[in-house]
Amino acid sequence: GCAVPFAFAIAALVTGRLDNDWIVAVRKWMLFAWLFLSIGNALGMIWAYEELGWGGYWAWDPVENAAALPWFSASAYVHSTMIQERRNMLKVWNVVLICLTFLLTIFGTFLTRSGLISSVHSFAQSNIGIFFVYYMGLVLAACAGLIVYRWRELRAEASIETVASREAAFVLNNWVLVGIATFVAVATLWPKLSEWLYKESVTVGPPFFNRWIAPAGIILFLLMGLAPLFGWRKTSQAALKQAFTAPLIVAGLTVVAHFAVGKSLGYPAIVHTDQFYPGAVGVILQKLGSALPALVIALSAFNVAVIVQEFVRGVRARQRSAQKGGESENVLASIALLVRKSPRRYGGYIVHLGIVLMFLGFTGISWTFDTETSIKQGDTVLVERLTLQYV
């Protein structure tokens, strides 16, 4: 799937046809690839959790990470391409994201087939890996050379006018997505890099990833809710106040309710986490880890409120328009026509709702308890509020 956008991009760079026509076709193909990559990763999470009994959605195995890397760059492209279509900006960046996404799919195959890393998913120890290295080098050199060659034609015809705009929020979103992908790639390869550079064997396990990815994930989650509240080009203070009021109230009330009744239901807002690193950095990460449940619940409420608000605004606008024409429209019909008229926008909100549910699922890890004990037949052991007996 990612090969088709890559072919379009290379063809556009070679021929010099760098208008926005090809971007429209490419976006559909990237969505196709992104959709099935999302389904594959989600099914992998369910398999690991339900069938294999690993007790977690994601174990940060190198091959799992390789399957996630192109998802991050494809997600960044799906957002940034809208800026190019609307404002004729980020041409270089979009071409880079298309090339990067294709390169990361090849990189994932390289990790899986080369035997470079040890993983329960790696298929073989063979000498085929060097061919993937040559191929990735060729792709990288060709992409870089063509982008430099067409640099003048790729220059933006507009610029971001203010921070309080949807373009700025999308760019920040892109930086975070690509930053997470870069971090995961480097951390995944670090055991091998450490062997080559320092002659030392190191292990980078799930606790390391979870500590550092969580803050980036929170920032990404926040940006997901903020972006729809901003207008294109710039947003007035009055519009910002109107857009932010309801979601902030909903988030605030949700946090108060979480602190009030969460602990009694077994889902406390603050959980104790151990300090992973010494010094100030360790303390900051520990405090953030302890507050993650409250933060995620607040941002989940904020995001859901934003999505509902956007649908309500659209429905009201449709109904006002119908009334002016002397017609009437019920709410369900308005929603259906709204989605049909602008499937990209409202389909995106449905995807955002799915991301909210995923974050809630990930947060469940904060409320799990692990107890190790040795028992004989007939013995009982207490795990939090559960008494387990070995029958």
Side-chain angles (χ1 to χ4, degrees), residues 152-360:
R152 288 185 178 181
E153 293 97 317
L154 289 169
R155 282 186 301 187
E157 297 175 16
S159 61
I160 296 174
E161 297 178 21
T162 175
V163 175
S165 65
R166 194 169 295 188
E167 298 97 306
F170 276 7
V171 169
L172 286 173
N173 160 282
N174 271 221
W175 287 352
V176 176
L177 284 167
V178 174
I180 291 174
T182 303
F183 177 87
V184 171
V186 173
T188 302
L189 290 174
W190 187 248
K192 186 59 66 175
L193 292 174
S194 179
E195 285 183 21
W196 290 342
L197 297 175
Y198 306 111
K199 310 302 181 186
E200 293 180 5
S201 295
V202 296
T203 302
V204 180
F208 174 82
F209 283 101
N210 290 333
R211 292 283 179 176
W212 288 101
I213 293 294
I218 290 293
I219 295 170
L220 189 64
F221 202 30
L222 174 62
L223 288 170
M224 190 180 85
L226 292 179
L229 300 178
F230 292 105
W232 294 100
R233 301 186 68 170
K234 54 186 175 183
T235 316
S236 66
Q237 288 188 350
L240 283 175
K241 185 178 179 181
Q242 185 182 10
F244 273 85
T245 300
L248 286 175
I249 291 172
V250 170
L253 291 174
T254 303
V255 168
V256 170
H258 192 193
F259 274 94
V261 300
K263 192 171 184 179
S264 62
L265 297 175
Y267 306 109
I270 303 295
V271 296
H272 173 74
T273 57
D274 297 325
Q275 188 171 335
F276 202 64
Y277 298 107
V281 173
V283 172
I284 292 170
L285 287 174
Q286 181 193 22
K287 299 296 183 187
L288 181 63
S290 299
L292 273 179
L295 282 170
V296 173
I297 294 297
L299 289 175
S300 296
F302 182 83
N303 273 281
V304 171
V306 168
I307 295 166
V308 171
Q309 179 175 269
E310 290 297 305
F311 273 94
V312 169
R313 281 180 172 182
V315 167
R316 285 178 177 172
R318 277 207 60 84
Q319 291 185 334
R320 282 196 299 268
S321 178
Q323 286 173 359
K324 287 179 181 178
E327 300 175 0
S328 62
E329 214 174 68
N330 64 50
V331 174
L332 292 177
S334 294
I335 292 174
L337 291 169
L338 197 69
V339 174
R340 187 186 302 171
K341 186 178 179 182
S342 186
R344 176 188 298 187
R345 179 178 180 181
Y346 293 98
Y349 291 146
I350 299 299
V351 173
H352 284 189
L353 185 60
I355 299 293
V356 170
L357 296 176
M358 288 175 65
F359 268 81
L360 287 173

Side-chain angles (χ1 to χ4, degrees), residues 8 19 32 92 132 173 176 181 204 219 279 294 355 366 371-372 378:
F8 266 101
D19 51 23
F32 169 82
V92 174
F132 284 104
N173 160 282
V176 176
V204 180
I219 295 170
I355 299 293
S366 299
T371 300
E372 291 188 13

